[in-house]
């Protein structure tokens, strides 16, 4: 097997740059660069030299033994001075060693999966952790990366293996001293797993929104102050404001954090009757995005009724209170009521994620639903007693396989390229 290397820190000039090396000859590279290999997990200050003995850099060197590293292989980390020239020189020197090559995207993590250092849910969570922009995303990703989802799946798997084993004991050893009717115990195990699956399935939508971000649409009539509100919330001129009605034609999206949650604010075209074809397209898009958004902030002028049907979660506010003097209204110009509006948005979104579970991807939902369906069929067969134990056992085994796919035990090759494509080269 090749030994691989790559820059593990962000590309470009930095105070410190980290080069990671993994594979059977990783320590040989350290010995060739520095003259000796430090003790595992003990940082050592060493001079790195090229093939001619010239000093490339003075760096901190760390090595990890096989089975005790991120990838499960022998690993070395070189903590360099972060100039681009130094990084290039060290990477070039590593490429000169026999059996060494630059790592592909996500290859370090893929080797960790193949060496059972991570399961597939942890791999996905590591990707989410790297991409996390908000505190809530970091916490969610870290929970899964710590192995909690894998532990839950493993618990279900053990319960179902016990259930299938009881049925197969009766099927295969009917003449031995085993329970003749194990229906009660198997039914309990299967129902317990189904209920646990249902709880996890119910929290997937909220967890997925937490991972990918919420959409909050600002809607209302032309010139009601939507773009000005967007600019006030984001703290910059993200949208053009004008006295001319219909200035906003397309949906403007701005990513930000509200209450620790990832949010994309949508500034939409003003809702009104118009003969302008382009503006009609903008209004149509505004209505569609408002319909699919997680939350809507409806801005109304003084004495104006809503232009759309309201839902329980809609936030309705009167705008331009600096001009109208409306009590309880907001003014994006003076800031009146803005903090209260942000707080209300945060509270409503937090309510939506209160039921979030550990699973957060569509493939999780598909596997959980498939497993649940197989288990319900197993229960149906169990109702007929021992005469259908064989059919029930097969349904349970199929459910186990559906759950094993989630953590990467079987049949995951078609998933790996898609999952690892989002990783950087050094991860």
């Amino acid at each position: 097997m090749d030994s691989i290397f790559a820059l593990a820190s962000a590309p470009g000039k930095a105070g410190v740059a980290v080069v990671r090396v993994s594979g059977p000859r990783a320590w040989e590279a350290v010995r060739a660069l520095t003259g000796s290999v430090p003790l595992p997990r003990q940082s050592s200050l060493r001079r790195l030299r090229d093939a001619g003995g010239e000093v490339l850099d003075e760096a901190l060197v760390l090595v990890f033994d096989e089975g005790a590293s991120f990838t499960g292989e022998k690993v070395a980390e070189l903590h360099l001075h972060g100039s681009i020239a130094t990084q290039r020189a060290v990477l070039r020197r590593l490429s000169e060693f026999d059996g060494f090559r630059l790592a592909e995207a996500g290859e370090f993590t893929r080797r960790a999966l193949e060496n059972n250092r991570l399961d597939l849910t942890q791999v996905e969570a590591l990707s989410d952790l790297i991409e996390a922009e908000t505190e809530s995303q970091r916490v969610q990703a870290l929970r899964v990366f710590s192995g909690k989802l894998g532990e839950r799946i493993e618990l279900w798997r053990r319960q179902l293996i016990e259930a299938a084993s009881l049925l197969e004991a009766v099927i295969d050893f009917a003449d031995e001293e085993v329970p003749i009717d194990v229906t009660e115990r198997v039914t309990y195990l299967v129902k317990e797993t189904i209920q646990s699956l249902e709880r996890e399935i119910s929290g997937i939508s909220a967890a997925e929104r937490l991972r990918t971000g919420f959409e909050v649409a600002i809607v209302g009539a032309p010139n009601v102050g939507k773009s000005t509100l967007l600019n006030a919330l984001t703290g910059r001129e993200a949208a053009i404001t004008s006295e001319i009605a219909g200035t906003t034609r397309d949906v403007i999206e701005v990513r930000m954090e509200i209450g620790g949650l990832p949010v994309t604010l949508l500034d939409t075209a003003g809702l009104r009757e118009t003969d302008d074809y382009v503006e009609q397209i903008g209004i149509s898009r505004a209505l569609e995005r408002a319909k699919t958004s997680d939350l809507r902030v409806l801005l109304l002028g003084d004495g104006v009724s809503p232009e759309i049907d309201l839902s329980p979660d809609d936030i309705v506010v009167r705008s331009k209170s600096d001009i109208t003097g409306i009590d309880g209204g907001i003014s994006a110009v003076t800031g009146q009521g803005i903090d209260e509006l942000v707080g209300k948005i945060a509270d409503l979104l937090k309510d939506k994620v209160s039921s979030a579970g550990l699973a957060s991807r569509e493939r999780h939902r598909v596997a959980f639903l498939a497993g649940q369906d197989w288990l319900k069929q197993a229960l149906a067969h169990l109702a007929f007693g021992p005469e259908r134990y064989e059919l029930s056992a097969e349904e349970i085994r199929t459910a186990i396989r559906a759950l094993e796919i989630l953590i990467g035990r079987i049949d995951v090759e078609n998933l790996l390229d898609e999952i690892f494509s989002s990783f950087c080269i050094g991860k």
Side-chain angles (χ1 to χ4, degrees):
M1 176 185 287
D2 289 340
S3 294
I4 57 175
F5 63 90
L7 183 67
S9 50
K13 184 168 61 176
V16 176
V18 179
V19 171
R20 175 183 284 166
V21 187
S22 181
R25 302 186 65 186
W27 289 14
E28 293 179 29
V30 172
R31 185 174 290 107
L33 284 165
T34 69
S36 63
V37 180
L39 293 174
R41 295 178 176 269
Q42 294 188 19
S43 62
S44 178
L45 184 63
R46 301 293 176 90
R47 287 183 176 178
L48 310 183
R49 299 180 183 273
D50 64 15
E54 292 295 322
V55 175
L56 297 172
D57 191 26
E58 193 170 55
L60 282 177
V61 178
L62 275 165
V63 298
F64 302 87
D65 208 348
E66 185 175 351
S69 69
F70 173 73
T71 62
E73 304 171 331
K74 287 187 174 181
V75 167
E77 289 185 358
L78 311 175
H79 295 234
L80 316 171
H81 292 96
S83 72
I84 294 175
T86 300
Q87 296 173 33
R88 288 175 177 170
V90 173
L91 292 172
R92 184 168 57 247
R93 176 65 179 129
L94 288 169
S95 69
E96 295 170 356
F97 297 133
D98 291 337
F100 280 72
R101 61 174 174 81
L102 190 66
E104 299 175 359
E107 190 169 2
F108 289 98
T109 308
R110 186 161 186 161
R111 290 191 176 193
L113 174 68
E114 291 169 348
N115 292 323
N116 296 318
R117 298 293 291 175
L118 300 174
D119 66 40
L120 200 53
T121 62
Q122 289 175 296
V123 169
E124 292 169 325
L126 179 58
S127 175
D128 293 340
L129 187 59
I130 293 170
E131 297 294 329
E133 297 177 340
T134 69
E135 178 66 9
S136 58
Q137 289 175 318
R138 181 193 68 80
V139 170
Q140 183 197 41
L142 200 56
R143 286 175 64 205
V144 182
F145 183 62
S146 68
K148 291 188 181 299
L149 180 56
E151 290 171 4
R152 191 163 297 177
I153 294 169
E154 187 61 32
L155 173 61
W156 298 335
R157 180 175 175 273
R158 288 198 303 269
Q159 289 178 330
L160 295 179
I161 287 175
E162 180 187 347
S165 298
L166 287 171
L167 295 175
E168 288 163 357
V170 175
I171 295 167
D172 296 336
F173 304 102
D175 296 331
E176 304 293 332
E177 293 183 2
V178 296
I180 299 302
D181 188 350
V182 295
T183 302
E184 183 177 349
R185 175 61 179 168
V186 173
T187 299
Y188 168 79
L189 291 169
V190 172
K191 284 186 175 181
E192 181 74 16
T193 305
I194 289 175
Q195 290 170 3
S196 186
L197 280 168
E198 286 176 347
R199 287 193 295 270
E200 198 60 47
I201 290 169
S202 67
I204 289 179
S205 294
E208 187 173 17
R209 299 310 287 164
L210 186 58
R211 181 175 66 85
T212 61
F214 292 92
E215 286 192 350
V216 176
I218 304 173
V219 296
N223 278 347
V224 77
K226 298 184 301 298
S227 297
T228 305
L229 176 59
L230 177 75
N231 293 340
L233 292 172
T234 59
R236 62 186 178 89
E237 294 294 318
I240 298 173
T241 59
S242 168
E243 296 295 330
I244 302 172
T247 300
T248 301
R249 298 296 184 95
D250 207 348
V251 177
I252 298 173
E253 302 183 11
V254 180
R255 186 88 168 180
M256 65 179 296
E257 179 178 339
I258 295 179
L261 300 172
V263 173
T264 298
L265 288 177
L266 309 177
D267 179 23
T268 60
L271 306 180
R272 67 169 180 173
E273 296 292 334
T274 178
D275 294 328
D276 186 317
Y277 177 69
V278 176
E279 190 177 354
Q280 288 176 356
I281 295 175
I283 293 171
S284 176
R285 290 180 178 177
L287 291 171
E288 182 61 30
R289 291 300 294 274
K291 181 180 179 181
T292 59
S293 63
D294 300 288
L295 195 63
R296 297 184 297 186
V297 177
L298 181 60
L299 288 188
L300 298 177
D302 188 15
V304 178
S305 300
E307 297 90 348
I308 58 175
D309 294 332
L310 299 179
S311 67
D313 283 345
D314 286 340
I315 300 174
V316 180
V317 290
R318 300 286 176 178
S319 66
K320 300 184 179 181
S321 61
D322 56 313
I323 298 174
T324 64
I326 300 174
D327 290 335
I330 66 167
S331 171
V333 175
T334 66
Q336 177 184 336
I338 297 297
D339 288 344
E340 289 79 3
L341 174 60
V342 171
K344 188 176 293 187
I345 293 172
D347 289 342
L348 287 171
L349 294 181
K350 286 176 181 177
D351 285 343
K352 291 179 181 291
V353 300
S354 61
S355 61
L358 292 169
S360 62
R361 296 172 183 265
E362 182 60 24
R363 83 173 190 94
H364 301 163
R365 187 200 310 274
V366 170
F368 288 163
L369 288 173
Q372 190 180 56
D373 287 343
W374 290 116
L375 293 178
K376 288 179 178 178
Q377 292 181 45
L379 280 180
H381 291 304
L382 278 173
F384 290 89
E387 65 183 78
R388 291 203 186 179
Y389 276 3
E390 189 170 352
L391 293 175
S392 184
E394 179 58 29
E395 305 287 17
I396 293 173
R397 284 193 295 267
T398 305
I400 292 172
R401 287 193 290 271
L403 296 176
E404 286 179 331
I405 290 174
L406 271 178
I407 53 178
R409 288 182 180 270
I410 56 172
D411 297 336
V412 297
E413 283 301 319
N414 60 323
L415 297 170
L416 296 183
D417 289 338
E418 178 181 350
I419 290 171
F420 289 115
S421 66
S422 63
F423 280 74
C424 59
I425 297 297
K427 198 63 185 172

